[in-house]
């Protein structure tokens, strides 16, 4: 059993949010009520459609004098338009880019490490965590207008966890600020930031401002390239190892390593029902085809696999035995588990788990295509060849980056 476990703490209130149609109104409402600070991190910030509503809320907050900080990923987010750059700058929104990438930069394995977290904290009292980018549910930067909304989740949190989320965001902000000062040759400020006690320790909840008391137990589980390299995978493995009745996992890019495959097979062989809701529409070559070679072992053990068909599945969530649940940004593939900065909230609460369970059950039964083991076994040679190529490319990338999976 994994040594690293999520430390659950009580005193939280949580609300499950599905898609940008639920997430954005909650986020905008919180920003419009902000009095002191707004901290936002996202992999993609796209101002198309509903994404502009979040941009407008950031501008309004900054214009009121709220300290407004945004961090986006240098690969996931394109440069904002000239109009939006001017609006954000004039309003006073502080905008930073994590690991900016030029085309040649992608040749360096260190540049494959991305900021994939989706986090927001408002006034140190309310937080959001999940898999939803600042991206309209019906818009995709690569595929245009979608026929159905993207399937994804976030969670709104109040309680002690908020301070921990704010602290980890502050650590990243300070480091990005230090790098910015170094590039501007402001060595004095950069050294002060890097030597500051706030810049290096593992974030801990220290200054949560109490709001209404909650009863739910929850934990923040982070993944980075320093002291938290295996914690998200360990949280999954521990929960799966203890499962007695049912496991439901919805994951966009599902390429589980040996330990995770073994744990799911063992759970099914113990007599538990194991169901996976996975991506059913082609999005990216490597993630789509590299997942399929592992399906045979899982199907053979009795694991049920459903492919989500109406739109892109972007969720990274799970429910186990009706009380353990997680919502976050981490896919169960090597790019997320070994290279990207990720954040998941783990919850122990039967009411919250039931809400997520209901939405996933409906998606599987009404919108998922069940995978037939016999049909999978007889898939065409051409498809098998593409799966082999995708898996080979993924393994080559991991070998170049120095990671094992």
């Amino acid at each position: 059993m994994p040594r690293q476990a999520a430390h659950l703490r009580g005193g939280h209130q949580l609300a499950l949010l599905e898609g940008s149609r639920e997430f954005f109104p909650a986020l905008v409402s919180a920003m419009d009520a902000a009095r002191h600070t707004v901290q936002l991190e996202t992999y993609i910030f796209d101002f198309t459609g509903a994404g502009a509503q979040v941009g407008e809320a950031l501008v309004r907050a900054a214009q009121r004098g709220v300290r407004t900080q945004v961090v986006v990923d240098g690969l996931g987010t394109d440069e904002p338009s000239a109009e939006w750059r001017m609006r954000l700058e004039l309003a006073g929104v502080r905008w930073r880019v994590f690991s900016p990438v030029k085309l040649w930069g992608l040749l360096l394995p260190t540049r494959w490490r991305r900021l994939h977290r989706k986090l927001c904290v408002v006034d140190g009292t309310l937080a959001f965590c999940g898999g939803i980018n600042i991206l309209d549910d019906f818009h995709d930067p690569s595929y245009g207008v979608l026929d159905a909304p993207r399937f994804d989740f976030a969670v709104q949190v109040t309680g002690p966890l908020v301070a921990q989320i704010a602290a980890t965001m502050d650590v990243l902000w300070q480091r990005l600020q230090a790098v910015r000062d170094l590039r501007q040759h402001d060595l004095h400020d950069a050294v002060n930031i890097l030597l500051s006690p706030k810049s290096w320790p593992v974030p801990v909840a220290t200054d949560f401002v109490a709001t209404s008391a909650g009863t739910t137990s929850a934990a923040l589980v982070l993944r980075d390239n320093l002291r938290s390299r295996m914690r998200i995978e360990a949280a999954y493995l521990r929960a799966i190892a203890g499962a007695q009745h049912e496991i439901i996992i919805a994951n966009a890019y599902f390429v589980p390593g040996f330990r995770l495959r073994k744990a799911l097979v063992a759970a099914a062989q113990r007599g538990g029902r194991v169901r996976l809701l996975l991506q059913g529409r082609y999005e990216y070559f490597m993630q789509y085809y590299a997942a399929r070679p592992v399906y045979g072992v899982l199907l053979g053990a009795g694991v049920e696999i459903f492919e989500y068909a109406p739109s892109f599945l972007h969720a990274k969530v799970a429910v186990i035995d009706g009380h353990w649940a997680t919502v976050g940004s981490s896919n169960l593939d090597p790019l997320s588990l070994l290279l990207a900065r990720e954040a998941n909230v783990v919850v122990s609460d039967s009411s919250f788990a039931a809400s997520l369970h209901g939405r996933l059950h409906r998606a599987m039964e009404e919108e998922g295509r069940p995978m037939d083991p016999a049909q999978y076994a007889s898939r065409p040679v051409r498809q098998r060849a593409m799966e082999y190529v995708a898996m080979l490319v993924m393994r080559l990338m991991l070998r170049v980056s120095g990671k094992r999976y």
Side-chain angles (χ1 to χ4, degrees), residues 15 32-33 45 74 76 86 93 105 120 141 183-184 202 209 216 236 242 273 289 293 314 334 347 362 366 369 385:
D32 283 342
F45 199 127
M86 182 177 295
V93 176
C120 182
R183 288 175 176 167
Q184 295 177 349
V202 176
V209 180
T216 301
Y236 269 97
R273 188 178 188 187
Y289 284 106
H314 197 255
V347 182
R362 183 172 64 249
E366 299 178 6
R369 296 188 301 248

Side-chain angles (χ1 to χ4, degrees), residues 10-28:
H12 297 94
Q13 290 184 327
L14 292 94
L16 183 66
L17 305 170
E18 182 177 345
S20 67
R21 64 188 179 278
E22 292 185 2
F23 176 49
F24 286 1
L27 190 62
V28 168

Side-chain angles (χ1 to χ4, degrees), residues 56 103 185 209 260 298 300 315 378:
E56 298 280 1
L103 289 179
H185 307 293
V209 180
L260 189 53
L298 298 173
S378 61

Side-chain angles (χ1 to χ4, degrees), residues 91-359:
V93 176
R94 296 167 172 85
W95 183 280
R96 299 289 182 269
V97 180
F98 178 87
S99 191
V101 171
K102 299 185 184 299
L103 289 179
W104 60 267
L106 291 176
L107 299 175
L108 302 173
T110 55
R111 289 294 186 177
W112 298 349
R113 298 173 180 173
R114 310 313 312 169
L115 176 68
H116 199 241
R117 305 191 306 208
K118 290 87 178 177
L119 297 171
C120 182
V121 173
V122 177
D123 285 347
T125 61
L126 179 66
F128 299 87
C129 176
I132 305 174
N133 288 292
I134 307 303
L135 178 64
D136 190 295
D137 272 347
F138 286 89
H139 169 72
D140 187 272
S142 300
Y143 294 91
V145 178
L146 302 177
D147 295 331
R150 195 177 289 103
F151 188 64
D152 205 350
F153 294 94
V155 63
Q156 177 180 302
V157 186
T158 61
L161 209 62
V162 177
Q164 189 179 358
I165 296 173
T168 194
M169 296 176 75
D170 192 52
V171 167
L172 179 59
W173 180 267
Q174 295 291 342
R175 293 178 185 175
L176 292 177
Q177 187 64 41
V179 171
R180 185 171 181 265
D181 289 338
L182 283 171
R183 288 175 176 167
Q184 295 177 349
H185 307 293
D186 194 343
L187 299 181
H188 181 267
D189 285 350
V191 170
N192 284 341
I193 290 173
L194 290 172
L195 295 180
S196 168
K198 291 184 178 181
S199 297
W200 294 104
V202 176
V204 294
T206 57
D207 59 352
F208 171 70
V209 180
T211 57
S212 56
T215 59
T216 301
S217 295
L220 176 68
V221 189
L222 301 172
R223 199 257 140 223
D224 59 34
N225 290 291
L226 295 173
R227 300 174 68 176
S228 304
R229 290 175 293 179
M230 302 299 295
R231 288 184 178 171
I232 291 179
E233 184 180 16
Y236 269 97
L237 288 171
R238 183 174 290 272
I240 292 169
Q244 298 296 318
H245 308 292
E246 183 184 49
I247 296 170
I248 300 178
I249 296 174
N251 210 260
Y253 309 128
F254 184 79
V255 189
F258 173 76
R259 290 187 300 174
L260 189 53
R261 293 199 306 270
K262 182 179 177 182
L264 290 171
V265 167
Q269 291 176 340
R270 290 196 303 270
R273 188 178 188 187
V274 181
R275 290 184 286 174
L276 306 177
L277 180 62
L278 307 178
Q279 185 78 269
R281 294 182 60 170
Y282 177 90
E283 187 173 11
Y284 302 113
F285 171 80
M286 186 171 64
Q287 289 92 331
Y288 182 82
Y289 284 106
R292 275 147 176 77
V294 306
Y295 288 179
V297 173
L298 298 173
L299 290 168
V303 174
E304 301 172 57
I305 298 177
F306 297 81
E307 293 187 300
Y308 187 78
S311 186
F312 291 121
L313 182 146
H314 197 255
K316 306 99 169 55
V317 300
V319 180
I320 296 178
D321 283 352
H323 67 86
W324 187 95
T326 186
V327 178
S329 66
S330 182
N331 291 295
L332 296 176
D333 76 334
L335 300 183
S336 276
L337 294 175
L338 298 177
L339 294 173
R341 288 177 179 263
E342 306 283 5
N344 276 43
V345 168
V346 169
V347 182
S348 180
D349 181 80
S350 57
S351 178
F352 181 88
S355 179
L356 180 56
H357 183 284
R359 300 193 191 198

